[in-house]
Amino acid sequence: MSVEQYENDDQRIQDKLKQKTWNEIRTNDSWAIFKIMSEFVNGYEAMGRIGPCVSIFGSARTKSDDPNYLLAEKIAYKISKGGYGVITGGGPGIMEAGNKGAHFGGGTSVGLNIELPFEQHFNPYIDRDKNLNFDYFFVRKVMFVKYSQGFVVMPGGFGTLDEMFEAITLIQTKKIAKFPIILVGTEFWSGLMDWVKSVLIEKYKTVSPEDLNLIKIVDNEDQVLEALDSFYKKYNLSPNF
C-alpha cells in the first residue's frame, strides 16, 4: 500500500470521528438518501424486467486458467442450458466465468457491478441491457437476493463469504424464500463447515443444526444443476427462463 493510500485512509478515519456541523450533515449525509433511493429504483426497474436468475458468487482474483474459473464457466453454461438465467457481480474472475458460461449457453447474463478502487471492472460477457452499476454494496446485495432463484457459491474471499452468509441469514430468518444455497468445492468449503458444526452448533450452540440443511456442497456442474432441478421439482416449480 502506498503512502498516499495510508494518508487517505487516515483522513477517512479522522473524518468519521470528527463532530459534524448541522450543515455538513444536511449537505453530505441527508442528501445521500436520494442517491441511495435512485439506485434502488433503477435496480428494481431493471431487474424486474429481467426476472429471477441464479446468482453465482466467487473471487474477483481468480485467473482465467484457474480450475475454479473453468468450473464456474461450465456451471453457468450448464444451468443456462437448463433454463436458468445467471447473475454475477459483473467483474473479473469467477464473475466473468459465470457471465461467460451464461453467454455461450444462450442464457440471460446479468452483471451487478460495484465501484471499487481496485479489482472491479465490467467483463465483456454481460448482456448489453443487463449491465447495472452501483455505488452502495447494500443496494447491490438487495438486488442479488431479491431476484435470485438460487445461489451458487464458488471459492472466494471476504466478499464471497459476506454474500453467502447474507443469503443464509435471510433464508434462516424467513425474510426471503428458501432457495437452494450450493457451495462448490468440497476441499475449499469443508473446513468452514466443520467449524460451523463443531464450534457454532456443538460447542456454543449459536446455530441450529437444521440450518445446515439450507446448504449443499457439490463438486461439479452436473451436481449443481441436479441440486437446482431437484429443488424446483420438489416444490413443483420451474425456472423463469
Side-chain angles (χ1 to χ4, degrees):
M1 184 177 287
S2 68
V3 174
E4 290 79 9
Q5 286 174 302
Y6 272 119
E7 290 174 347
N8 184 50
D9 285 343
D10 189 51
Q11 182 62 47
R12 292 174 69 180
I13 292 170
Q14 291 177 13
D15 183 61
K16 290 292 183 184
L17 293 175
K18 79 173 186 178
Q19 184 68 39
K20 294 182 180 180
T21 67
W22 175 238
N23 283 336
E24 286 176 320
I25 293 172
R26 287 199 305 173
T27 302
N28 299 321
D29 295 347
S30 299
W31 284 97
I33 293 171
F34 294 99
K35 171 62 176 172
I36 294 166
M37 188 186 303
S38 71
E39 288 204 355
F40 273 117
V41 171
N42 291 336
Y44 285 151
E45 288 184 349
M47 295 301 296
R49 290 192 295 270
I50 295 167
C53 301
V54 172
S55 287
I56 297 180
F57 301 134
S59 176
R61 305 184 187 195
T62 306
K63 304 300 182 185
S64 59
D65 58 351
D66 188 287
N68 285 318
Y69 180 105
L70 301 174
L71 179 55
E73 184 180 345
K74 290 178 182 178
I75 289 170
Y77 181 88
K78 189 89 174 183
I79 64 178
S80 293
K81 288 295 187 182
Y84 300 89
V86 169
I87 304 173
T88 81
I94 295 297
M95 296 175 280
E96 178 181 285
N99 289 127
K100 185 176 181 181
H103 174 76
F104 286 109
T108 297
S109 180
V110 184
L112 307 181
N113 211 298
I114 186 78
E115 293 285 351
L116 295 176
F118 57 91
E119 287 186 357
Q120 194 79 357
H121 58 266
F122 279 120
N123 68 68
Y125 301 104
I126 303 167
D127 294 345
R128 183 176 298 179
D129 60 340
K130 299 174 178 64
N131 197 350
L132 284 73
N133 205 40
F134 296 90
D135 285 326
Y136 297 96
F137 266 112
F138 64 91
V139 180
R140 179 180 181 241
K141 285 164 67 176
V142 168
M143 301 306 150
F144 272 125
V145 172
K146 182 175 175 60
Y147 295 98
S148 288
Q149 293 176 306
F151 305 91
V152 176
V153 192
M154 300 294 298
F158 290 135
T160 301
L161 294 174
D162 175 50
E163 291 160 341
M164 178 189 74
F165 282 118
E166 175 91 4
I168 293 171
T169 301
L170 291 171
I171 291 173
Q172 177 213 37
T173 55
K174 303 186 186 303
K175 292 297 184 181
I176 63 172
K178 183 184 174 182
F179 289 120
I181 298 173
I182 305 164
L183 310 186
V184 181
T186 301
E187 182 181 3
F188 184 87
W189 294 109
S190 58
L192 175 62
M193 290 299 104
D194 288 343
W195 177 79
V196 169
K197 292 173 186 176
S198 62
V199 178
L200 299 187
I201 294 177
E202 295 174 8
K203 186 174 181 179
Y204 290 97
K205 296 178 173 49
T206 54
V207 171
S208 299
E210 303 80 49
D211 292 338
L212 288 185
N213 295 332
L214 301 173
I215 303 166
K216 185 175 183 63
I217 300 178
V218 304
D219 287 299
N220 60 57
E221 63 274 20
D222 292 327
Q223 292 171 333
V224 171
L225 183 59
E226 180 184 355
L228 289 170
D229 284 346
S230 63
F231 172 85
Y232 281 93
K233 287 176 183 176
K234 178 180 177 181
Y235 291 98
N236 197 27
L237 301 171
S238 61
N240 275 29
F241 296 93

